[in-house]
Amino acid sequence: MSTTTRLTLRRPDDWHLHLRDDEMLKGILPSTSENFGRAIIMPNLVPPVVSAKDAKAYRERIMAALPEGHDFTPLMTLYLTETTDPQDVAEAAKSGLISAVKLYPAGATTNSQSGVRDFENVSNVLEKMAEIGLPLCVHGEVTDADVDIFDREAVFIDRILDPMRKRFPQLKVVMEHITTKDGVDYAKSGGDNLAATITTHHLIINRNDILVGGIKPHFYCLPVAKREEHRLALVAAATSGSPRFFLGTDSAPHRDERKVCGCGCAGIFTAINTMSCLAHVFENEGALDQLEAFTSLNGPAFYGMAANERTIELVKCDAPVEFPSHIHTGDGSVTVFDPGFPLHWKAINNPS
Ligand code: DOR
Ligand code: ZN
């Protein structure tokens, strides 16, 4: 049994986050900016963030929505399309405006219609990214109708990712939100230019949690949670301390009417209670000493950035820590992820 009741960590970063726009952005940004120093911001807006000009304007909207006194840096990304201009990408990277490019196979998830259909058509961009060392964040699922949704990640690794990495061996790749043992094994098999993010919710739920005893729309996300053996592989990877694995919450708010309906959207909102959930998971594994590597050290090291100077405190409380069940935004109510167990770890921001 762990007897640790207080931990100091470098301020965490979130290497995969959906902040949306307008009223939703205003409503949910404080849940991240309160405790996180930086986040890689997903570009799947409608319309998507495809050019340096779009990324600059989006970054300004995020900064305008940031609460007074919050110390947070959005790390912008561009949405890769078959018409992305390699020069625009290179200039945006050089100026520090963007930190990565995001690859969505067309049709794989929310707002991915403008994504890639024929990978040959983006080879010029990938070549340029490999040359300048700009990471590619990959949504790793095939979309072929004949591939079962639970197999889409493993098939993507074989059919798309592995050939792509062989063709561009210098390309830095982040396998986003891995959900399978296959993903863990592949990430481990690569060199220093391969890493994987793991979400909070995929460390906690498996596919039974979504489907047994009634369908749980607030546990539906993409890639969909898999069998328990896969969840266990993710927990082992996250708590191992291996520099290949780091936190990307994929916190993805949708207003409740879009989740609870005949054709519900994929996405789970975990930004507000992620650190409490993770401390619980790591403590159960006897791995609290690896939490800082996962949330605060491995990500910046991969992206070639320094860890945050400031720290946060995690304190274990006797009484469960209360989180709101919903965030009420100007764009509607968003349900907060319920891990299914009481949370006793509280994150406290240390003043700078
Ligand atoms: O569950 C998800 N939600 N997965 C994604 O890949 C996209 C995200 C969203 O934007 O809602
Ligand atoms: Zn995402």
Side-chain angles (χ1 to χ4, degrees), residues 235-276:
V235 170
T239 57
S240 69
S242 160
R244 297 258 183 284
F245 302 102
F246 45 85
L247 174 65
T249 65
D250 197 12
S251 182
H254 292 277
R255 58 189 151 84
D256 286 333
E257 309 88 271
R258 307 276 313 269
K259 293 284 298 171
V260 185
C261 58
C263 182
C265 293
I268 300 180
F269 181 73
T270 55
I272 198 166
N273 58 5
T274 270
M275 290 310 294
S276 298

Side-chain angles (χ1 to χ4, degrees), residues 16-18 20 42-44 102 104 109-110 139 176-177 199 222-223 248-252:
H16 181 132
L17 176 68
H18 297 269
R20 314 300 192 206
M42 287 297 122
N44 63 332
K102 174 74 190 220
Y104 289 105
T109 187
T110 311
H139 183 112
E176 299 278 66
H177 43 50
T199 75
L222 287 169
T249 65
D250 197 12
S251 182

Side-chain angles (χ1 to χ4, degrees), residues 33-54:
S33 57
E34 168 94 35
N35 286 320
F36 288 81
R38 298 166 288 201
I40 284 274
I41 309 302
M42 287 297 122
N44 63 332
L45 303 182
V46 186
V49 179
V50 292
S51 66
K53 188 164 161 271
D54 297 340

